[in-house]
Amino acid sequence: MRDTVRRVVRCAVGLTWGAAAAVVELLHTVLAGLLLLPVAAWPRGRRAVLRPFLAGARKLTEAERARLRTWLGVHTSPAYEDTRALGYLACRGALGVLGAVVMLSVAIGLGYGTSWAYLWLLVDDVRNTASVVYTSLGGLFLLFLAVQGILGVARLEARLAHRLLGPRHQEELERRIAELSASRAAVVDAVNDERRRIERDLHDGVQQRLVALGMLLGRALRSEDPDRADRLLRQAHEESRQALDDLREVAWRIYPTTLDEAGLRVALETVAERASVPVRVEYGLTGEPGRAVATVAYFVVCEAVTNAVKHAAPTRIVVAVGSEEGVLRVSVEDDGRGGANAAGSGLFGLARRVAALDGRLEVRSPPGGPTLVTAELPCA
């Protein structure tokens, strides 16, 4: 309730400011139109007349962008043409007038809605009590309508700004195509990096143990001392167990079958159980996310926990998973020494995985800690 009241108050201040600014904007637009009429058929003269008005339109539009950002929470791109700024001011003047009407209704509603309190406090003998009550109820109803009008005009302000100051449809398509091309290239690079990592894990881990296993078995076969051969076979058995553990670890890092069999929560709890430091998982999802989103969320947690244990020497790690407004949010925080490099191979690979789903990865790791890795993934 408090947030709603705060939002209404901020929108009311923004509309009041906008109503005052609309007077200047309408005068600017009308003056530009009047001066353009005599030179409408003369291109050079039209450009000469438009130049100062376009510069003024940009300054007024920048002031409007600041008002929208500060009071209405509307963010627009600064990359817009001056001619579009002039058109925006021409259209926004009508919204400014509408905002002034709404704010006048708010003032009237407040006056009627609080009249009964003043009457009861200041006047001892109020004979027509029913009229006071009816008038007050009517004022409160008018105030309710005015509040709805404030929110409605604020939404219209946002739509108008995005429509006239935002990128054109063609520009938006070109931007989206560029993003998809970059994310596709990033996915290919991430797959290649993953293959190289798997090759290193197999070569440096499993392969070395299998070589040692073969050497132990060979020495046991050539040994003529039964006791020595028995010791070598015991070492070979232990080496085979270690090789199986390493192979299972590599397979787990490639893709955990638990994610498909039991879901994201169990997979993250398994990561916590396998870590060498205490890991607390705070799971706030009511349903299971899509497979692609769940896979990326799992690898974000797995890689962040592995990096923290390997490089930061933490005493505890907290993993939090939740969703809000169609966005799945994953955060991994540790109390280690900090200083994590977001451009390192592990975190950079995670950033590319997240970007492939139009998500965002943020790493905050000041020297001395703590380190916070946050991923936001669209899941709607």
Side-chain angles (χ1 to χ4, degrees), residues 205-245:
V206 179
Q207 180 176 322
Q208 297 298 323
R209 292 197 180 278
L210 292 178
V211 170
L213 174 62
M215 293 176 62
L216 289 171
L217 290 175
R219 291 170 61 188
L221 289 174
R222 291 191 300 271
S223 177
E224 297 179 356
D225 184 357
D227 293 336
R228 184 170 182 272
D230 185 64
R231 288 196 304 271
L232 291 172
L233 287 175
R234 291 180 183 276
Q235 293 180 20
H237 180 267
E238 179 64 23
E239 200 67 33
S240 68
R241 189 183 63 81
Q242 293 292 337
L244 285 175
D245 290 341

Side-chain angles (χ1 to χ4, degrees), residues 104-364:
L104 181 62
S105 301
V106 171
I108 296 174
L110 283 174
Y112 277 119
T114 56
S115 61
W116 64 273
Y118 287 105
L119 285 173
W120 284 110
L121 290 174
L122 301 179
V123 180
D124 295 331
D125 183 19
V126 179
R127 298 181 179 179
N128 198 352
T129 306
S131 298
V132 174
V133 173
Y134 294 151
T135 303
S136 301
L137 291 177
L140 290 175
F141 180 69
L142 181 61
L143 180 61
F144 170 77
L145 294 180
V147 169
Q148 297 301 313
I150 289 175
L151 298 178
V153 174
R155 285 192 292 268
L156 288 176
E157 290 262 22
R159 294 183 63 180
L160 180 67
H162 288 305
R163 177 73 175 177
L164 296 182
L165 299 181
R168 290 192 175 94
H169 183 63
Q170 183 67 24
E171 296 172 351
E172 186 66 21
L173 288 178
E174 293 175 356
R175 183 190 63 82
R176 185 59 179 160
I177 290 172
E179 288 181 354
L180 292 175
S181 299
S183 63
R184 182 183 63 181
V187 168
V188 173
D189 291 340
V191 170
N192 291 333
D193 290 343
E194 190 70 16
R195 289 173 177 171
R196 285 190 287 269
R197 185 189 63 79
I198 294 170
E199 190 275 333
R200 286 196 304 270
D201 290 344
L202 292 175
H203 180 273
D204 299 338
V206 179
Q207 180 176 322
Q208 297 298 323
R209 292 197 180 278
L210 292 178
V211 170
L213 174 62
M215 293 176 62
L216 289 171
L217 290 175
R219 291 170 61 188
L221 289 174
R222 291 191 300 271
S223 177
E224 297 179 356
D225 184 357
D227 293 336
R228 184 170 182 272
D230 185 64
R231 288 196 304 271
L232 291 172
L233 287 175
R234 291 180 183 276
Q235 293 180 20
H237 180 267
E238 179 64 23
E239 200 67 33
S240 68
R241 189 183 63 81
Q242 293 292 337
L244 285 175
D245 290 341
D246 289 348
L247 187 60
R248 192 177 297 112
E249 183 71 23
V250 172
W252 179 266
R253 292 189 65 184
I254 293 174
Y255 189 85
T257 56
T258 310
L259 195 60
D260 288 336
E261 295 173 354
L264 178 60
R265 181 170 191 164
V266 176
L268 296 182
E269 291 174 348
T270 305
V271 172
E273 293 172 358
R274 293 164 64 90
S276 58
V277 299
V279 177
R280 186 172 83 249
V281 178
E282 299 175 353
Y283 194 85
L285 299 181
T286 56
E288 187 68 17
R291 177 175 297 181
V293 174
T295 301
V296 173
Y298 166 80
F299 279 110
V300 167
V301 173
C302 187
E303 188 69 29
V305 170
T306 301
N307 285 346
V309 173
K310 186 182 296 184
H311 303 293
T315 59
R316 64 173 182 83
I317 300 175
V318 179
V319 176
V321 181
S323 63
E324 183 178 358
E325 296 181 355
V327 176
L328 186 143
R329 192 174 188 272
V330 181
S331 65
V332 181
E333 184 176 11
D334 68 79
D335 61 351
R337 64 174 64 99
N341 183 13
S345 59
L347 293 177
F348 183 65
L350 283 183
R352 291 190 296 192
R353 281 180 180 269
V354 172
L357 294 183
D358 288 337
R360 185 173 65 91
L361 183 76
E362 181 181 1
V363 180
R364 287 185 289 176

